[in-house]
Amino acid sequence: MDMGYGPYYVHPELESLVDRIHPPRVCIDNDTYEDCTLVKVDCANRHGILLDMVQVLTDLDLVISKSYICSDGRWFMDVFHVTDQLGNKITDKDLIHNIQQSICASRREKTQVKTSSIGKEMRQRHVPMEHMTLEMTITDRPGLLSEISAVLAELRCHVSAAVVWTHNTRAACIIHVENDDSNHGSSIMDPQRVDEVQSKLVTVVNARHTNHERPSVKLTSQATGQPHTERRLHQLMMADKDYQEKCIYSSRDKSYETIVTVENCREKGYSVLNVTSPDRPKLLFDTVCTLTDLQYVVFHAAVSSKGPVAFQEYYIRQKDGHTLNSEIQRQAISRCIVAAVERRVSNGLRLDVKSRNRSGLLSDVTRVFRENGLSVARAEIGIHGEKAVGSFYVTDVGGRDVNLQMVETVKKEIEKIGGMVFVTNGSSLDSSSHRSSRSNNTEEEQPARSSLGTLLWSQIERLSSKFQTLTP
């Protein structure tokens, strides 16, 4: 029997009034723990605010090792345990000021921070004022990125930024293109030019199309209020139903599996979502992003990690106030969360490519990959000043590890076209920003999985008392 809680809704005028009376408060605490900085947020609640906070911290390249969330009673209180990418506390005054200003702006103006990317260089990538945005979802296949970039180069479209994900045989990409140096005639967004580009890309997409595939190609102009790029990739892949198949990733002879359970806490009127998965960067963002887009409201949550494993526990309701009462609902959210956690996992070898920015560069680099039997599992490309930079996670065409001889051949051929290749061994699970690389000798170093429920409620009480001490 459903508890019958009402829908989550606040009238916009009332929300604005509450913001003016009680503006967001952000406290940066470097005294409580020796190994991390606490970011405490206290403000009026609204749907999506948790995602905004997590997105701000993620886009500032901060690593969230733990978090405690409480948002009952139309009020939002959260504590994030954060470090920089090297596991150090946040002591830089400019960065602290940026954290406070960004969180307050995301709440006050309801705007999102500009898209992040792999590394600081990538986050500063150039996106021109006038550009065309390509969104594509398709069945993944070796050489796909090479085929797309070759068509764009042929049409004199210069790729200024791009992000590509693959998961469960599906691929999604967001590519920003502008006119290359040789095309000074029509605007990149001229209707005839848009039709020409879209027609050629559809031809490439449909070249190996079968009846069971679900290809999609969409070209748009830059619009204000566009979603965060990584959030948009989640939305594209979820709309493409990449969650319908279960996939277990393996890296270095280890199996990585995500386990999701959903139960109802009837005495509290919540559904309880538990996620156990390998720990990795941006894990919290990916989970919260999906919950938000699925129209679930997080009322309480506790997130922690122990060694290489992360534990997330969320007390949620649907936006209409109901819990998840049917097995179909529970299975649906479980599949979507598993997909969200695993989309960013890349088994391949990471190759960082740097070169002078020029037209057709992406086409040349991906052609080298294709001709040497490499398949791109994930990629992010951008421009930093006069340089083009890209991170590619590559496997062989069968999804297996790349041998060193193949890598050396690729490096030499990319050097011939004016680029440099830097090799990073291991997948994104082994990134230097992996949260488990730090030892967390705090109270959660005890068995985490069995104690999260108890820990959650004790932390909520602690949060309430701590935030009260901040009130003047």
Side-chain angles (χ1 to χ4, degrees):
M1 180 177 178
D2 199 336
M3 297 292 289
Y5 287 87
Y8 184 92
Y9 175 75
V10 180
H11 193 282
E13 292 185 3
L14 177 59
E15 187 176 274
S16 177
L17 176 62
V18 172
D19 278 346
R20 291 195 299 271
I21 297 175
H22 299 288
R25 298 178 63 101
V26 181
C27 174
I28 308 297
D29 177 4
N30 271 316
D31 299 325
T32 302
Y33 294 106
E34 294 183 357
D35 61 344
C36 69
T37 298
L38 298 185
V39 178
K40 306 175 184 179
V41 183
D42 180 18
C43 63
N45 195 19
R46 63 171 171 81
H47 183 60
I49 188 172
L50 176 59
L51 176 59
D52 288 349
M53 304 303 170
V54 174
Q55 181 178 302
V56 165
L57 298 176
T58 301
D59 287 352
L60 291 172
D61 280 342
L62 301 179
V63 178
I64 303 172
S65 59
K66 295 183 180 66
S67 183
Y68 306 106
I69 298 117
C70 175
S71 62
D72 262 347
R74 306 298 185 187
W75 201 254
F76 177 87
M77 295 183 293
D78 198 350
V79 171
F80 298 98
H81 294 229
V82 304
T83 64
D84 64 16
Q85 294 286 314
L86 299 177
N88 301 315
K89 297 172 70 169
I90 311 305
T91 57
D92 182 85
K93 293 183 179 179
D94 290 336
L95 179 54
I96 290 175
H97 178 74
N98 200 357
I99 294 171
Q100 293 171 323
Q101 292 298 109
S102 298
I103 289 178
C104 290
S106 70
R107 167 63 197 175
R108 192 171 52 244
E109 301 166 12
K110 299 182 184 179
T111 57
Q112 297 180 338
V113 178
K114 292 183 179 179
T115 304
S116 70
S117 50
I118 302 174
K120 293 184 179 180
E121 277 188 314
M122 302 292 283
R123 197 178 65 244
Q124 298 171 10
R125 66 178 180 234
H126 164 71
V127 176
M129 291 298 294
E130 183 182 53
H131 68 274
M132 181 190 303
T133 300
L134 163 66
E135 293 182 352
M136 178 179 293
T137 55
I138 186 178
T139 297
D140 186 30
R141 63 175 184 261
L144 177 62
L145 182 58
S146 176
E147 294 173 9
I148 293 171
S149 57
V151 170
L152 294 174
E154 179 185 346
L155 295 171
R156 295 180 296 173
C157 294
H158 177 51
V159 176
S160 56
V163 186
V164 180
W165 285 1
T166 62
H167 177 249
N168 275 359
T169 75
R170 308 301 300 171
C173 62
I174 297 177
I175 303 175
H176 298 300
V177 297
E178 58 181 319
N179 280 329
D180 69 13
D181 296 335
S182 65
N183 191 350
H184 299 290
S186 62
S187 165
I188 188 67
M189 290 310 301
D190 180 88
Q192 290 184 346
R193 186 151 167 72
V194 171
D195 290 343
E196 179 187 21
V197 173
Q198 182 149 354
S199 176
K200 289 289 182 66
L201 287 171
V202 168
T203 299
V204 172
V205 168
N206 290 333
R208 305 181 193 179
H209 177 257
T210 58
N211 291 333
H212 70 277
E213 293 184 355
R214 306 177 297 274
S216 172
V217 179
K218 180 182 178 182
L219 295 174
T220 63
S221 60
Q222 175 69 12
T224 57
Q226 277 194 330
H228 185 277
T229 297
E230 293 179 349
R231 181 178 183 183
R232 183 59 183 153
L233 283 167
H234 277 299
Q235 292 171 346
L236 288 173
M237 300 204 84
M238 186 156 54
D240 197 43
K241 300 182 180 180
D242 72 316
Y243 53 81
Q244 289 186 334
E245 299 178 21
K246 181 171 178 57
C247 180
I248 299 177
Y249 293 88
S250 63
S251 176
R252 295 186 179 181
D253 299 324
K254 296 180 180 179
S255 293
Y256 294 91
E257 185 175 6
T258 301
I259 300 174
V260 178
T261 61
V262 184
E263 300 173 351
N264 278 343
C265 179
R266 296 191 177 277
E267 64 273 17
K268 299 291 184 179
Y270 300 114
S271 291
V272 184
L273 175 73
N274 283 290
V275 184
T276 304
S277 68
D279 192 19
R280 61 161 176 79
K282 300 188 179 182
L283 177 62
L284 181 59
F285 171 84
D286 294 334
T287 308
V288 173
C289 176
T290 300
L291 286 173
T292 304
D293 286 336
L294 288 172
Q295 299 298 303
Y296 288 100
V297 180
V298 176
F299 289 88
H300 305 286
V303 177
S304 65
S305 61
K306 183 179 181 182
V309 182
F311 306 97
Q312 303 177 72
E313 187 168 56
Y314 299 91
Y315 287 70
I316 62 175
R317 297 183 195 133
Q318 298 176 70
K319 199 174 180 182
D320 62 7
H322 293 88
T323 55
L324 288 78
N325 294 316
S326 72
E327 183 62 24
I328 294 176
Q329 289 177 313
R330 289 189 283 269
Q331 289 181 2
I333 190 174
S334 296
R335 288 197 301 267
C336 290
I337 292 297
V338 169
V341 169
E342 294 181 342
R343 282 176 193 134
R344 203 187 292 269
V345 177
S346 298
N347 284 327
L349 182 72
R350 174 171 166 172
L351 302 180
D352 291 326
V353 180
K354 295 185 179 181
S355 175
R356 178 183 61 83
N357 181 34
R358 61 174 176 81
S359 300
L361 176 62
L362 180 60
S363 176
D364 291 340
V365 170
T366 53
R367 175 182 51 79
V368 171
F369 290 160
R370 186 187 74 245
E371 291 176 349
N372 286 276
L374 298 186
S375 180
V376 177
R378 182 160 65 92
E380 187 158 352
I381 302 99
I383 298 171
H384 180 66
E386 297 298 319
K387 296 290 185 181
V389 292
S391 292
F392 301 86
Y393 290 84
V394 297
T395 65
D396 68 10
V397 293
R400 296 177 294 270
D401 291 340
V402 179
N403 65 61
L404 295 180
Q405 184 178 356
M406 190 181 297
V407 173
E408 288 303 316
T409 301
V410 167
K411 289 177 66 175
K412 291 178 181 177
E413 293 195 22
I414 289 181
E415 286 175 0
K416 291 179 182 178
I417 61 175
M420 295 185 296
V421 178
F422 304 90
V423 180
T424 302
N425 289 320
S427 71
S428 59
L429 287 172
D430 302 309
S431 167
S432 61
S433 58
H434 195 305
R435 292 197 301 269
S436 66
S437 63
R438 296 186 299 111
S439 174
N440 293 320
N441 297 319
T442 58
E443 70 267 25
E444 281 75 43
E445 198 64 20
Q446 304 164 2
R449 182 67 181 88
S450 60
S451 63
L452 269 179
T454 304
L455 177 63
L456 171 65
W457 296 107
S458 64
Q459 288 296 333
I460 289 171
E461 294 177 359
R462 290 175 55 191
L463 275 173
S464 300
S465 62
K466 285 185 178 181
F467 278 116
Q468 288 173 1
T469 63
L470 295 176
T471 306

